[in-house]
Amino acid sequence: MGLSISGTSVLVKPGIISGGSITHECPLSRSVGYFLEPIIAIAPFSKKPLNLTLKGITTDDKDLSVDLIRTVTLPHLQLFGISEGLELRIRKRGASPLGGGEVNFLCPVIRQLKTLNFVEKGKIKRIRGIA
């Protein structure tokens, strides 16, 4: 899988997504969230559970922060039936220009996604935020 620096294209070569334990040192031009976004979409379909460690910048002004992914994206994956074993741990924080952050993404293997049916309008229960 390849990502362009501009973030406008993703190249995925057909093949087996093996999973397992992987460590990657992200370039300091983009944050860890840039690399984590497409991986979250394909990780549940790997052969083995994924244990991915990404090192680099954890928050910048161009990409999703790891906090946003942890508090927004992962709960939405649970709606599709991906919950047990799904975790994003922020081990160390890293900022530009030196990086130094470390994030551990754990994702289980699933065979089929749960379907969602949004037929009726719901009410907003609460609005929360992290400062």
Side-chain angles (χ1 to χ4, degrees):
M1 186 170 101
L3 301 169
S4 70
I5 295 295
S6 64
T8 57
S9 65
V10 177
L11 173 66
V12 179
K13 294 180 183 176
I16 296 172
I17 304 165
S18 59
S21 185
I22 301 168
T23 300
H24 178 70
E25 188 78 37
C26 298
L28 299 177
S29 58
R30 301 303 292 253
S31 77
V32 168
Y34 176 77
F35 298 94
L36 198 53
E37 276 185 275
I39 291 169
I40 287 173
I42 62 173
F45 306 105
S46 62
K47 292 288 181 189
K48 296 185 292 187
L50 180 67
N51 182 357
L52 174 67
T53 301
L54 295 174
K55 298 178 180 183
I57 298 171
T58 54
T59 305
D60 70 357
D61 58 348
K62 291 186 261 185
D63 306 307
L64 291 179
S65 72
V66 291
D67 296 302
L68 185 70
I69 292 172
R70 184 173 49 86
T71 57
V72 177
T73 306
L74 294 189
H76 280 90
L77 284 178
Q78 292 174 356
L79 295 173
F80 291 99
I82 309 167
S83 58
E84 195 169 320
L86 183 66
E87 192 174 345
L88 182 64
R89 296 181 192 145
I90 303 167
R91 301 257 187 228
K92 289 191 270 182
R93 299 210 178 255
S96 185
L98 300 176
E102 188 174 317
V103 174
N104 191 358
F105 175 62
L106 305 169
C107 185
V109 175
I110 62 161
R111 297 291 167 225
Q112 189 172 5
L113 293 174
K114 192 168 91 176
T115 10
L116 296 178
N117 292 318
F118 290 118
V119 182
E120 297 178 15
K121 288 189 227 177
K123 291 188 177 185
I124 297 174
K125 293 180 183 177
R126 64 180 169 237
I127 297 175
R128 297 181 292 165
I130 296 176

